[in-house]
Amino acid sequence: MTWQALRARRAAVARLAGWSAVEALPALLSGLLVARAVDHGFLAGRLGVGLGWLAALAGAVLVGAVATGRTYRSLGAVVEPFRDDLAARVVRAALAGATRPDARPDGAAAARLTHQVELVRDTFAGLLMVTRGFLFAAGAALLGLLALDPVVAALVAAPLVAGVAVFLAALPAMAGQQRRYVRAGEELSRSAATALAGHRDVRACGAAERVVADVGRRVAAQAAAERTLARMSAVRSLSLGLGGWLPLAILLLAAPWLVGRGLTAGAVLGALIYVSTGLQPALHALVQGVGGGGLRYVVTLDRILRTCPEPGDPPATAGPPTGVDESAPAVRARGLTFRYGAAARPVVADLTLSLPTGDHLAVVGASGAGKSTLAALLSGLLPPQAGTVRLAGVEISARGPGELARLRVLLPQEAYVFTGSLGDNLRYLRPDADDATVVAALDALGVRALAARIGGLAAPVAPDALSAGERQLIAAARAYLSPAPLVILDEATCHLDPAAEAVVEDAFADRPGTLVVIAHRISSAVRARRVLLLDGDRPALGTHEELLARSAAYRDLVGHWDARPAERAPAGRG
């Protein structure tokens, strides 16, 4: 996107480069003119000649100052339209998310618009300035050194290249820490927004200490990330020492030898001026700018582009198997029938159902109504005795286990956790997921505290030592990381408390793809875009409000759920 922004404004970029070249005129001439003033003027006893050369340098400085003002005008012509494009992208994504039928409040959208976009704008401008400043100023200084003496230029260039190399080698680690910092800030924004929006419910439920502790953990995580970033400044200091200060020391130590081989005193002074007023400030600006603002720019822009996709953007996750019709509904079941035994009453009878991509369906019904059977049929674990099931336009019976695993993931009530490391458990369905991706999934589902208690991703997991709810959280994170676009939760959060269940279901609802929830609590139906009621031969499909209005069986089911205080959804959730 950065390259596209620069290409779209070629004229402004060309003007910026042109004025930058003019601005670098003092950096190109300073050492040469000072050398002429010293050698041919002051040391030769000709004061007027020396002052004349310095006057020429003053004229070059004035021309450079005029060019500096022009560079900022050209910079605005590049940066401001880019900022406007980003702000429009964030607003479009926020509006699209808010107007979806299954919309959820996005507390991080405000942080993206008010903080991240402005951060990208400021760092983009700074990055352009320091990059073009280093290229033109350092290039001009090296050309001036070459004009003075090629040996001097070689003595200066070697440590400069070493300092830049050290800095570039450390950039990946710096970028990783910057990503951690951005994620921590966004999580803090989301957590604080949720706490503020529900403060009355928090007070009413006596959960103030718990909510304060949760927000406090987010604050501590952001502070820890910022402290780590501060420690990375040591690498920048090393780069500056090698590339900026070492050339000065080399020139001073080599001065007797250089003079002995014929270099004049003015040329030595000119070389010192090139290093101290040209190369050193340019390198300092580059290291501080790219190591600080540049990393913030790359990481923050990447975060915006991933969380605010445009309709034409490619998907961030791996694509579906070949032969998938991406325009087809995510799930289409026709005439679906299944019975346990030839003479038994059908558990699912002649059911037709279509779920568009991105849908969020909750399946409810009395015990034994066929909810788990339907989940097994839609996932391909049970073959229907009549009818068909298609996932993304492909009949499920035509797919092998490997292809089905890329199309859908089923999370049953009894979660399976195997002996091994926590990371191996979480990456079972996505072995190529890096640590940052896994940690982001843990944060989204509220599993970070559990992972920390176990000992981190590399720590071994003893399944027998985990509670049923903890096993469900690990299995939920595993399913969340899966590349499958269809997720089926078959009472997969029944051992969690209502608040934890809400976090898990909201995370899956925000995850790209389609979600089917076999509901354990009425709050799952309230959160869903649509609800399917299985009630014998009379299934009903609609929103929670529609079914309350037209289905006596659904009203009875809701009343039965509401009559169980231990199962009631948290305040504010319906």
Side-chain angles (χ1 to χ4, degrees):
M1 187 171 186
T2 304
W3 180 243
Q4 290 174 356
L6 295 175
R7 289 184 61 192
R9 297 162 185 91
R10 293 186 187 91
V13 173
R15 285 195 299 272
L16 179 62
W19 286 115
S20 297
V22 178
E23 184 188 27
L25 187 62
L28 175 65
L29 299 177
S30 58
L32 285 171
L33 294 179
V34 167
R36 298 292 188 276
V38 171
D39 293 334
H40 302 295
F42 303 128
L43 291 181
R46 296 186 291 178
L47 180 63
V49 173
L51 293 176
W53 286 113
L54 293 183
L57 178 58
V61 170
L62 289 177
V63 173
V66 172
T68 298
R70 297 292 182 177
T71 59
Y72 280 97
R73 293 186 184 181
S74 302
L75 181 70
V78 178
V79 172
E80 293 304 323
F82 180 57
R83 183 260 180 199
D84 294 341
D85 292 345
L86 272 184
R89 183 186 185 109
V90 172
V91 171
R92 281 195 297 268
L95 290 176
T99 54
R100 289 200 313 264
D102 57 344
R104 299 289 184 276
D106 184 7
R112 282 191 287 272
L113 185 60
T114 60
H115 176 65
Q116 293 183 8
V117 168
E118 292 305 317
L119 181 63
V120 167
R121 173 223 185 198
D122 293 343
T123 53
F124 181 48
L127 193 61
L128 277 179
M129 290 299 286
V130 300
T131 303
R132 61 96 210 175
F134 177 78
L135 292 176
F136 285 94
L142 288 175
L143 286 176
L145 286 168
L146 278 173
L148 284 176
D149 190 284
V151 174
V152 174
L155 290 175
V156 170
L160 175 67
V161 171
V164 173
V166 168
F167 174 67
L168 293 178
L171 275 179
M174 293 180 183
Q177 293 300 330
Q178 186 67 41
R179 288 190 182 93
R180 179 188 169 203
Y181 171 73
V182 171
R183 284 197 301 269
E186 197 167 277
E187 288 299 325
L188 174 59
S189 175
R190 183 180 291 110
S191 177
T194 302
L196 290 174
H199 70 279
R200 289 188 176 89
D201 293 335
V202 170
R203 281 288 186 183
C205 296
E209 291 185 4
R210 177 178 177 179
V211 172
V212 168
D214 179 68
V215 176
R217 284 193 296 271
R218 306 293 184 187
V219 172
Q222 189 184 36
E226 195 156 3
R227 284 192 294 269
T228 303
L229 276 180
R231 287 193 291 269
M232 297 296 290
S233 62
V235 177
R236 296 200 291 269
S237 298
L238 176 61
S239 301
L240 288 174
L242 284 174
W245 291 104
L246 187 58
L248 278 176
I250 290 176
L251 280 179
L252 291 173
L253 292 173
W257 174 73
L258 292 172
V259 172
R261 60 180 296 273
L263 195 67
T264 64
V268 172
L269 180 59
L272 291 172
I273 289 175
Y274 275 129
V275 173
S276 61
T277 65
L279 287 178
Q280 193 181 75
L283 179 62
H284 183 275
L286 178 73
V287 170
Q288 296 297 336
V290 176
L295 290 178
R296 287 194 295 273
Y297 170 78
V298 171
V299 174
T300 309
L301 178 59
D302 177 72
R303 189 69 171 167
I304 290 175
L305 298 183
R306 289 180 181 275
T307 53
C308 303
E310 295 279 59
D313 286 351
T317 57
T322 57
V324 167
D325 182 3
E326 296 183 0
S327 64
V331 179
R332 185 188 294 276
R334 291 183 180 274
L336 206 58
T337 300
F338 186 87
R339 57 169 54 87
Y340 292 96
R345 179 183 64 85
V347 179
V348 177
D350 196 26
L351 176 67
T352 295
L353 178 67
S354 181
L355 302 181
T357 300
D359 203 1
H360 178 184
L361 177 74
V363 182
V364 301
S367 179
K371 304 186 296 296
S372 293
T373 301
L374 178 62
L377 290 169
L378 295 182
S379 62
L381 295 184
L382 283 178
Q385 291 155 351
T388 60
V389 177
R390 290 179 175 268
L391 302 183
V394 179
E395 188 166 343
I396 203 168
S397 60
R399 293 292 182 182
E403 292 177 310
L404 282 179
R406 293 177 60 194
L407 285 170
R408 57 89 181 104
V409 57
L410 170 67
L411 211 58
Q413 180 176 347
E414 294 303 324
Y416 179 72
V417 176
F418 55 82
T419 300
S421 72
L422 177 61
D424 291 340
N425 271 277
L426 297 176
R427 294 187 177 97
Y428 182 73
L429 299 176
R430 189 177 172 186
D432 60 341
D434 58 23
D435 285 353
T437 302
V438 175
V439 171
L442 295 177
D443 287 338
L445 280 81
V447 194
R448 175 74 80 93
L450 173 60
R453 186 179 66 78
I454 292 173
L457 298 180
V461 175
D464 292 340
L466 300 173
S467 68
E470 290 170 335
R471 289 195 295 271
Q472 285 188 334
L473 285 174
I474 293 175
R478 177 196 301 153
Y480 186 90
L481 286 166
S482 164
L486 171 64
V487 176
I488 303 173
L489 305 181
D490 184 10
E491 295 193 359
T493 56
C494 63
H495 295 299
L496 304 180
D497 61 66
E501 179 184 69
V503 171
V504 171
E505 287 187 11
D506 286 345
F508 276 105
D510 292 337
R511 176 185 183 270
T514 307
L515 176 62
V516 177
V517 179
I518 308 301
H520 175 67
R521 297 180 175 95
I522 190 58
S523 53
S524 297
V526 175
R527 283 188 289 266
R529 175 174 175 255
R530 294 190 297 167
V531 181
L532 173 64
L533 170 66
L534 295 182
D535 182 32
D537 297 329
R538 301 182 303 278
L541 181 66
T543 66
H544 173 70
E545 292 76 15
E546 289 171 349
L547 292 184
L548 281 176
R550 73 171 190 256
S551 173
Y554 187 74
R555 289 194 296 272
D556 290 341
L557 185 63
V558 171
H560 172 68
W561 257 322
D562 281 344
R564 294 183 291 172
E567 297 294 306
R568 189 170 298 160
R573 287 282 184 181

